[in-house]
Amino acid sequence: MAPDGSREGAPEDARPRRDRGPQKKRDKRDVHGWLVLDKPVGMTSTHAVAVAKRLFSAKRAGHAGTLDPLASGCLPIALGEATKTVMFVMDGRKRYEFTVRWGEERDTDDAEGRVVAESEQRPTAETIRALLPRFTGTIEQVPPRYSAVKIAGERAYDIARDGETVELEARPVEIHRLELIDTPDRDHAVFAAECGKGTYVRAIARDMGRLIGCFGHVSALRRTAVGPFAAADMIPLADLQAVCDRAAVGEAHLADALLPVSTALDDIPALAVSRADAARLQRGQAVLVRGRDAPIVHGTVCVTVAGQLLALADMDRGEIVPKRVFNLAGLHGRAGRQQGI
């Protein structure tokens, strides 16, 4: 969905000033790792990243896939050098649990939008299950009008907000699994889905409603996994704040809330190198590995030295060519951070 439209006030310099004494500015620091936030409903992904960046006083932060304000759940936030691995998380599968409200189609395809079509018809569980095979595998899907898809350089949601007609083309998406898990009443159905990059759950609800003839929109949505990150990795915002408060008085460590940068690279072959080769790679120089011990690996590899992440590199015919070199000096995440939180 769209970014929040908070209203800007007058510039600070234009307001009457009082002598409040010197204001202490918090120093930014090097923080590296993945924070897997259990995002609450009502918060934008951009705001969530800003909160995490402030709590850690981190220099850099970003997220691996927008989660609508209406949605809750898994929002992986990359801090510091983890931002270099965002693409690997975004390309991973995502899992959702969502509720469809039948009888109304809305212009946003979720509960926040304006009703554009209505029906008194309601589907049975059998009707819904019979439809699910049409929404699994590789399918053609038209993104919602209120989405972040770009049209001639503009976001679709910005064009739609201006009252202009948004014409989006269908594109192929991969839905690995779609199950009906509950029908609590005649107006609602609860689903579980596992899908690939670029899939819109809101569009699934919209298209199912149209095919059945009863219309529908997403009334509740929770993301339960993104790539390597799942429910066991998530930390609620209140718990994160508590860890930061305890760390401020020396009763906890901020690293307890982070996972290592390398967590995003679990599916990439690992290659250990010597300290001498590591020094060359850190300078951006290629390294040629010869002899019987040369690894038979091609493509992208995750290079380590003494057990620590060093670089992402291309491997071809024994030559290691660095593409992204990591500098993990400072605070960084560690494995098993959920223990004690």
Side-chain angles (χ1 to χ4, degrees), residues 131-165:
L131 195 64
L132 298 184
R134 298 181 63 171
F135 289 89
T136 54
T138 302
I139 68 169
E140 292 289 317
Q141 184 184 77
V142 177
R145 286 176 289 175
Y146 286 81
S147 65
V149 174
K150 284 191 174 181
I151 304 172
E154 288 190 77
R155 298 290 185 186
Y157 54 62
D158 287 330
I159 299 172
R161 270 215 208 92
D162 290 338
E164 298 180 39
T165 301

mmCIF file of all heavy atoms in Angstrom, residues 131-165:
data_model
loop_
_atom_site.group_PDB
_atom_site.id
_atom_site.type_symbol
_atom_site.label_atom_id
_atom_site.label_comp_id
_atom_site.label_asym_id
_atom_site.label_seq_id
_atom_site.Cartn_x
_atom_site.Cartn_y
_atom_site.Cartn_z
ATOM 1 N N LEU A 131 -11.834 -24.259 -6.604
ATOM 2 C CA LEU A 131 -11.222 -23.145 -7.324
ATOM 3 C C LEU A 131 -9.707 -23.054 -7.117
ATOM 4 O O LEU A 131 -8.992 -22.490 -7.949
ATOM 5 C CB LEU A 131 -11.883 -21.837 -6.867
ATOM 6 C CG LEU A 131 -11.674 -20.569 -7.690
ATOM 7 C CD1 LEU A 131 -12.292 -20.731 -9.078
ATOM 8 C CD2 LEU A 131 -12.292 -19.378 -6.968
ATOM 9 N N LEU A 132 -9.206 -23.604 -6.017
ATOM 10 C CA LEU A 132 -7.814 -23.405 -5.617
ATOM 11 C C LEU A 132 -6.788 -23.874 -6.644
ATOM 12 O O LEU A 132 -5.747 -23.208 -6.811
ATOM 13 C CB LEU A 132 -7.552 -24.061 -4.264
ATOM 14 C CG LEU A 132 -8.370 -23.506 -3.087
ATOM 15 C CD1 LEU A 132 -7.942 -24.160 -1.787
ATOM 16 C CD2 LEU A 132 -8.228 -21.982 -2.991
ATOM 17 N N PRO A 133 -7.017 -24.994 -7.354
ATOM 18 C CA PRO A 133 -6.014 -25.389 -8.363
ATOM 19 C C PRO A 133 -5.775 -24.332 -9.438
ATOM 20 O O PRO A 133 -4.686 -24.288 -10.028
ATOM 21 C CB PRO A 133 -6.616 -26.669 -8.969
ATOM 22 C CG PRO A 133 -7.452 -27.237 -7.869
ATOM 23 C CD PRO A 133 -8.045 -26.036 -7.191
ATOM 24 N N ARG A 134 -6.743 -23.473 -9.688
ATOM 25 C CA ARG A 134 -6.569 -22.417 -10.683
ATOM 26 C C ARG A 134 -5.651 -21.311 -10.178
ATOM 27 O O ARG A 134 -5.239 -20.438 -10.952
ATOM 28 C CB ARG A 134 -7.934 -21.831 -11.071
ATOM 29 C CG ARG A 134 -8.868 -22.860 -11.702
ATOM 30 C CD ARG A 134 -10.196 -22.267 -12.096
ATOM 31 N NE ARG A 134 -10.084 -21.234 -13.128
ATOM 32 C CZ ARG A 134 -11.119 -20.692 -13.750
ATOM 33 N NH1 ARG A 134 -12.359 -21.086 -13.440
ATOM 34 N NH2 ARG A 134 -10.953 -19.762 -14.673
ATOM 35 N N PHE A 135 -5.349 -21.340 -8.874
ATOM 36 C CA PHE A 135 -4.498 -20.320 -8.271
ATOM 37 C C PHE A 135 -3.207 -20.910 -7.715
ATOM 38 O O PHE A 135 -2.589 -20.328 -6.820
ATOM 39 C CB PHE A 135 -5.258 -19.591 -7.164
ATOM 40 C CG PHE A 135 -6.342 -18.690 -7.681
ATOM 41 C CD1 PHE A 135 -7.623 -19.174 -7.877
ATOM 42 C CD2 PHE A 135 -6.080 -17.367 -8.004
ATOM 43 C CE1 PHE A 135 -8.630 -18.359 -8.355
ATOM 44 C CE2 PHE A 135 -7.072 -16.541 -8.494
ATOM 45 C CZ PHE A 135 -8.353 -17.036 -8.683
ATOM 46 N N THR A 136 -2.794 -22.044 -8.242
ATOM 47 C CA THR A 136 -1.517 -22.634 -7.846
ATOM 48 C C THR A 136 -0.668 -22.881 -9.082
ATOM 49 O O THR A 136 -1.174 -23.003 -10.193
ATOM 50 C CB THR A 136 -1.726 -23.948 -7.070
ATOM 51 O OG1 THR A 136 -2.556 -24.840 -7.839
ATOM 52 C CG2 THR A 136 -2.364 -23.690 -5.728
ATOM 53 N N GLY A 137 0.652 -22.919 -8.857
ATOM 54 C CA GLY A 137 1.580 -23.012 -9.979
ATOM 55 C C GLY A 137 1.900 -21.633 -10.522
ATOM 56 O O GLY A 137 1.761 -20.621 -9.829
ATOM 57 N N THR A 138 2.319 -21.576 -11.767
ATOM 58 C CA THR A 138 2.586 -20.289 -12.428
ATOM 59 C C THR A 138 1.289 -19.775 -13.032
ATOM 60 O O THR A 138 0.691 -20.432 -13.887
ATOM 61 C CB THR A 138 3.646 -20.439 -13.520
ATOM 62 O OG1 THR A 138 4.857 -20.951 -12.949
ATOM 63 C CG2 THR A 138 3.943 -19.092 -14.176
ATOM 64 N N ILE A 139 0.850 -18.603 -12.572
ATOM 65 C CA ILE A 139 -0.402 -18.025 -13.064
ATOM 66 C C ILE A 139 -0.150 -16.587 -13.527
ATOM 67 O O ILE A 139 0.869 -15.984 -13.188
ATOM 68 C CB ILE A 139 -1.502 -18.030 -11.976
ATOM 69 C CG1 ILE A 139 -1.143 -17.069 -10.840
ATOM 70 C CG2 ILE A 139 -1.733 -19.442 -11.428
ATOM 71 C CD1 ILE A 139 -2.281 -16.803 -9.867
ATOM 72 N N GLU A 140 -1.065 -16.059 -14.296
ATOM 73 C CA GLU A 140 -1.021 -14.655 -14.696
ATOM 74 C C GLU A 140 -1.835 -13.836 -13.687
ATOM 75 O O GLU A 140 -2.989 -14.162 -13.407
ATOM 76 C CB GLU A 140 -1.602 -14.484 -16.099
ATOM 77 C CG GLU A 140 -0.756 -15.112 -17.198
ATOM 78 C CD GLU A 140 0.537 -14.353 -17.431
ATOM 79 O OE1 GLU A 140 0.503 -13.108 -17.452
ATOM 80 O OE2 GLU A 140 1.586 -15.008 -17.578
ATOM 81 N N GLN A 141 -1.224 -12.791 -13.145
ATOM 82 C CA GLN A 141 -1.887 -11.995 -12.114
ATOM 83 C C GLN A 141 -1.736 -10.503 -12.420
ATOM 84 O O GLN A 141 -0.634 -10.020 -12.695
ATOM 85 C CB GLN A 141 -1.287 -12.293 -10.731
ATOM 86 C CG GLN A 141 -1.986 -11.576 -9.589
ATOM 87 C CD GLN A 141 -1.295 -11.813 -8.253
ATOM 88 O OE1 GLN A 141 -0.258 -11.210 -7.969
ATOM 89 N NE2 GLN A 141 -1.870 -12.687 -7.431
ATOM 90 N N VAL A 142 -2.851 -9.778 -12.350
ATOM 91 C CA VAL A 142 -2.829 -8.319 -12.487
ATOM 92 C C VAL A 142 -2.655 -7.721 -11.087
ATOM 93 O O VAL A 142 -3.480 -7.968 -10.201
ATOM 94 C CB VAL A 142 -4.131 -7.792 -13.115
ATOM 95 C CG1 VAL A 142 -4.108 -6.267 -13.179
ATOM 96 C CG2 VAL A 142 -4.328 -8.377 -14.502
ATOM 97 N N PRO A 143 -1.606 -6.953 -10.835
ATOM 98 C CA PRO A 143 -1.408 -6.364 -9.512
ATOM 99 C C PRO A 143 -2.560 -5.432 -9.140
ATOM 100 O O PRO A 143 -3.249 -4.891 -10.010
ATOM 101 C CB PRO A 143 -0.100 -5.574 -9.660
ATOM 102 C CG PRO A 143 0.586 -6.194 -10.823
ATOM 103 C CD PRO A 143 -0.509 -6.613 -11.754
ATOM 104 N N PRO A 144 -2.789 -5.214 -7.850
ATOM 105 C CA PRO A 144 -3.814 -4.255 -7.418
ATOM 106 C C PRO A 144 -3.508 -2.851 -7.943
ATOM 107 O O PRO A 144 -2.348 -2.482 -8.136
ATOM 108 C CB PRO A 144 -3.725 -4.295 -5.887
ATOM 109 C CG PRO A 144 -3.113 -5.620 -5.570
ATOM 110 C CD PRO A 144 -2.164 -5.891 -6.694
ATOM 111 N N ARG A 145 -4.570 -2.066 -8.143
ATOM 112 C CA ARG A 145 -4.365 -0.684 -8.588
ATOM 113 C C ARG A 145 -3.570 0.114 -7.561
ATOM 114 O O ARG A 145 -2.775 0.975 -7.914
ATOM 115 C CB ARG A 145 -5.717 -0.017 -8.841
ATOM 116 C CG ARG A 145 -6.408 -0.486 -10.112
ATOM 117 C CD ARG A 145 -7.779 0.133 -10.247
ATOM 118 N NE ARG A 145 -8.721 -0.427 -9.267
ATOM 119 C CZ ARG A 145 -9.964 0.007 -9.105
ATOM 120 N NH1 ARG A 145 -10.416 1.021 -9.810
ATOM 121 N NH2 ARG A 145 -10.754 -0.567 -8.221
ATOM 122 N N TYR A 146 -3.820 -0.168 -6.293
ATOM 123 C CA TYR A 146 -3.063 0.484 -5.221
ATOM 124 C C TYR A 146 -1.896 -0.437 -4.849
ATOM 125 O O TYR A 146 -1.961 -1.199 -3.888
ATOM 126 C CB TYR A 146 -3.951 0.762 -4.006
ATOM 127 C CG TYR A 146 -4.906 1.914 -4.206
ATOM 128 C CD1 TYR A 146 -6.098 1.743 -4.894
ATOM 129 C CD2 TYR A 146 -4.605 3.186 -3.714
ATOM 130 C CE1 TYR A 146 -6.981 2.798 -5.090
ATOM 131 C CE2 TYR A 146 -5.478 4.249 -3.896
ATOM 132 C CZ TYR A 146 -6.661 4.049 -4.585
ATOM 133 O OH TYR A 146 -7.531 5.107 -4.772
ATOM 134 N N SER A 147 -0.853 -0.382 -5.637
ATOM 135 C CA SER A 147 0.335 -1.188 -5.394
ATOM 136 C C SER A 147 1.563 -0.363 -5.744
ATOM 137 O O SER A 147 1.461 0.735 -6.302
ATOM 138 C CB SER A 147 0.305 -2.466 -6.240
ATOM 139 O OG SER A 147 0.372 -2.159 -7.621
ATOM 140 N N ALA A 148 2.739 -0.898 -5.423
ATOM 141 C CA ALA A 148 3.982 -0.164 -5.658
ATOM 142 C C ALA A 148 4.541 -0.376 -7.057
ATOM 143 O O ALA A 148 5.637 0.097 -7.368
ATOM 144 C CB ALA A 148 5.027 -0.583 -4.622
ATOM 145 N N VAL A 149 3.794 -1.064 -7.911
ATOM 146 C CA VAL A 149 4.240 -1.277 -9.285
ATOM 147 C C VAL A 149 4.394 0.071 -9.988
ATOM 148 O O VAL A 149 3.555 0.965 -9.839
ATOM 149 C CB VAL A 149 3.225 -2.157 -10.041
ATOM 150 C CG1 VAL A 149 3.599 -2.267 -11.520
ATOM 151 C CG2 VAL A 149 3.151 -3.535 -9.418
ATOM 152 N N LYS A 150 5.471 0.229 -10.760
ATOM 153 C CA LYS A 150 5.732 1.497 -11.442
ATOM 154 C C LYS A 150 5.128 1.508 -12.849
ATOM 155 O O LYS A 150 5.210 0.528 -13.588
ATOM 156 C CB LYS A 150 7.238 1.757 -11.529
ATOM 157 C CG LYS A 150 7.846 2.230 -10.212
ATOM 158 C CD LYS A 150 9.257 2.727 -10.406
ATOM 159 C CE LYS A 150 9.814 3.330 -9.123
ATOM 160 N NZ LYS A 150 11.190 3.853 -9.296
ATOM 161 N N ILE A 151 4.494 2.637 -13.188
ATOM 162 C CA ILE A 151 3.956 2.875 -14.517
ATOM 163 C C ILE A 151 4.568 4.176 -15.021
ATOM 164 O O ILE A 151 4.306 5.248 -14.469
ATOM 165 C CB ILE A 151 2.417 3.005 -14.494
ATOM 166 C CG1 ILE A 151 1.788 1.759 -13.865
ATOM 167 C CG2 ILE A 151 1.880 3.234 -15.890
ATOM 168 C CD1 ILE A 151 0.298 1.894 -13.635
ATOM 169 N N ALA A 152 5.407 4.076 -16.052
ATOM 170 C CA ALA A 152 6.097 5.256 -16.599
ATOM 171 C C ALA A 152 6.800 6.047 -15.491
ATOM 172 O O ALA A 152 6.746 7.279 -15.450
ATOM 173 C CB ALA A 152 5.122 6.147 -17.350
ATOM 174 N N GLY A 153 7.423 5.303 -14.567
ATOM 175 C CA GLY A 153 8.207 5.935 -13.509
ATOM 176 C C GLY A 153 7.437 6.334 -12.274
ATOM 177 O O GLY A 153 8.037 6.793 -11.294
ATOM 178 N N GLU A 154 6.108 6.190 -12.287
ATOM 179 C CA GLU A 154 5.295 6.551 -11.126
ATOM 180 C C GLU A 154 4.710 5.304 -10.473
ATOM 181 O O GLU A 154 4.385 4.327 -11.151
ATOM 182 C CB GLU A 154 4.139 7.468 -11.542
ATOM 183 C CG GLU A 154 4.536 8.875 -11.903
ATOM 184 C CD GLU A 154 3.316 9.772 -12.060
ATOM 185 O OE1 GLU A 154 2.739 10.189 -11.039
ATOM 186 O OE2 GLU A 154 2.933 10.035 -13.216
ATOM 187 N N ARG A 155 4.566 5.339 -9.156
ATOM 188 C CA ARG A 155 3.948 4.229 -8.440
ATOM 189 C C ARG A 155 2.454 4.189 -8.764
ATOM 190 O O ARG A 155 1.791 5.233 -8.836
ATOM 191 C CB ARG A 155 4.128 4.386 -6.930
ATOM 192 C CG ARG A 155 5.577 4.389 -6.467
ATOM 193 C CD ARG A 155 6.221 3.036 -6.608
ATOM 194 N NE ARG A 155 7.573 3.022 -6.053
ATOM 195 C CZ ARG A 155 8.399 1.990 -6.150
ATOM 196 N NH1 ARG A 155 8.017 0.887 -6.781
ATOM 197 N NH2 ARG A 155 9.600 2.045 -5.618
ATOM 198 N N ALA A 156 1.937 2.969 -8.923
ATOM 199 C CA ALA A 156 0.517 2.813 -9.261
ATOM 200 C C ALA A 156 -0.372 3.454 -8.206
ATOM 201 O O ALA A 156 -1.399 4.073 -8.532
ATOM 202 C CB ALA A 156 0.180 1.325 -9.421
ATOM 203 N N TYR A 157 0.005 3.335 -6.913
ATOM 204 C CA TYR A 157 -0.862 3.897 -5.878
ATOM 205 C C TYR A 157 -0.921 5.422 -5.929
ATOM 206 O O TYR A 157 -1.932 6.030 -5.571
ATOM 207 C CB TYR A 157 -0.499 3.394 -4.474
ATOM 208 C CG TYR A 157 0.941 3.574 -4.035
ATOM 209 C CD1 TYR A 157 1.533 4.815 -3.902
ATOM 210 C CD2 TYR A 157 1.701 2.457 -3.677
ATOM 211 C CE1 TYR A 157 2.831 4.963 -3.466
ATOM 212 C CE2 TYR A 157 3.008 2.590 -3.233
ATOM 213 C CZ TYR A 157 3.571 3.842 -3.129
ATOM 214 O OH TYR A 157 4.869 3.981 -2.697
ATOM 215 N N ASP A 158 0.156 6.065 -6.392
ATOM 216 C CA ASP A 158 0.132 7.524 -6.525
ATOM 217 C C ASP A 158 -0.806 7.947 -7.647
ATOM 218 O O ASP A 158 -1.547 8.934 -7.521
ATOM 219 C CB ASP A 158 1.546 8.052 -6.796
ATOM 220 C CG ASP A 158 2.442 7.987 -5.570
ATOM 221 O OD1 ASP A 158 1.897 8.104 -4.446
ATOM 222 O OD2 ASP A 158 3.660 7.820 -5.727
ATOM 223 N N ILE A 159 -0.785 7.202 -8.750
ATOM 224 C CA ILE A 159 -1.671 7.509 -9.874
ATOM 225 C C ILE A 159 -3.131 7.302 -9.468
ATOM 226 O O ILE A 159 -4.000 8.132 -9.758
ATOM 227 C CB ILE A 159 -1.317 6.629 -11.085
ATOM 228 C CG1 ILE A 159 0.120 6.899 -11.537
ATOM 229 C CG2 ILE A 159 -2.290 6.876 -12.235
ATOM 230 C CD1 ILE A 159 0.618 5.939 -12.616
ATOM 231 N N ALA A 160 -3.395 6.182 -8.761
ATOM 232 C CA ALA A 160 -4.768 5.885 -8.335
ATOM 233 C C ALA A 160 -5.270 6.930 -7.352
ATOM 234 O O ALA A 160 -6.441 7.342 -7.397
ATOM 235 C CB ALA A 160 -4.821 4.492 -7.706
ATOM 236 N N ARG A 161 -4.413 7.411 -6.459
ATOM 237 C CA ARG A 161 -4.817 8.421 -5.481
ATOM 238 C C ARG A 161 -5.202 9.736 -6.144
ATOM 239 O O ARG A 161 -6.037 10.476 -5.638
ATOM 240 C CB ARG A 161 -3.673 8.677 -4.505
ATOM 241 C CG ARG A 161 -3.707 7.773 -3.298
ATOM 242 C CD ARG A 161 -3.196 8.566 -2.104
ATOM 243 N NE ARG A 161 -2.606 7.651 -1.149
ATOM 244 C CZ ARG A 161 -1.319 7.327 -1.140
ATOM 245 N NH1 ARG A 161 -0.498 7.812 -2.029
ATOM 246 N NH2 ARG A 161 -0.853 6.507 -0.235
ATOM 247 N N ASP A 162 -4.576 9.999 -7.277
ATOM 248 C CA ASP A 162 -4.881 11.235 -8.007
ATOM 249 C C ASP A 162 -6.174 11.126 -8.798
ATOM 250 O O ASP A 162 -6.558 12.078 -9.496
ATOM 251 C CB ASP A 162 -3.727 11.583 -8.959
ATOM 252 C CG ASP A 162 -2.483 12.026 -8.198
ATOM 253 O OD1 ASP A 162 -2.622 12.449 -7.029
ATOM 254 O OD2 ASP A 162 -1.378 11.944 -8.766
ATOM 255 N N GLY A 163 -6.847 9.995 -8.704
ATOM 256 C CA GLY A 163 -8.121 9.814 -9.382
ATOM 257 C C GLY A 163 -8.010 9.367 -10.829
ATOM 258 O O GLY A 163 -9.013 9.287 -11.546
ATOM 259 N N GLU A 164 -6.783 9.057 -11.258
ATOM 260 C CA GLU A 164 -6.599 8.607 -12.637
ATOM 261 C C GLU A 164 -6.818 7.095 -12.738
ATOM 262 O O GLU A 164 -6.639 6.354 -11.766
ATOM 263 C CB GLU A 164 -5.190 8.960 -13.119
ATOM 264 C CG GLU A 164 -4.910 10.459 -13.140
ATOM 265 C CD GLU A 164 -3.503 10.744 -13.632
ATOM 266 O OE1 GLU A 164 -3.064 10.053 -14.573
ATOM 267 O OE2 GLU A 164 -2.852 11.639 -13.067
ATOM 268 N N THR A 165 -7.189 6.645 -13.913
ATOM 269 C CA THR A 165 -7.387 5.224 -14.149
ATOM 270 C C THR A 165 -6.038 4.529 -14.240
ATOM 271 O O THR A 165 -5.141 4.978 -14.968
ATOM 272 C CB THR A 165 -8.171 4.977 -15.454
ATOM 273 O OG1 THR A 165 -9.427 5.638 -15.342
ATOM 274 C CG2 THR A 165 -8.383 3.490 -15.683
#
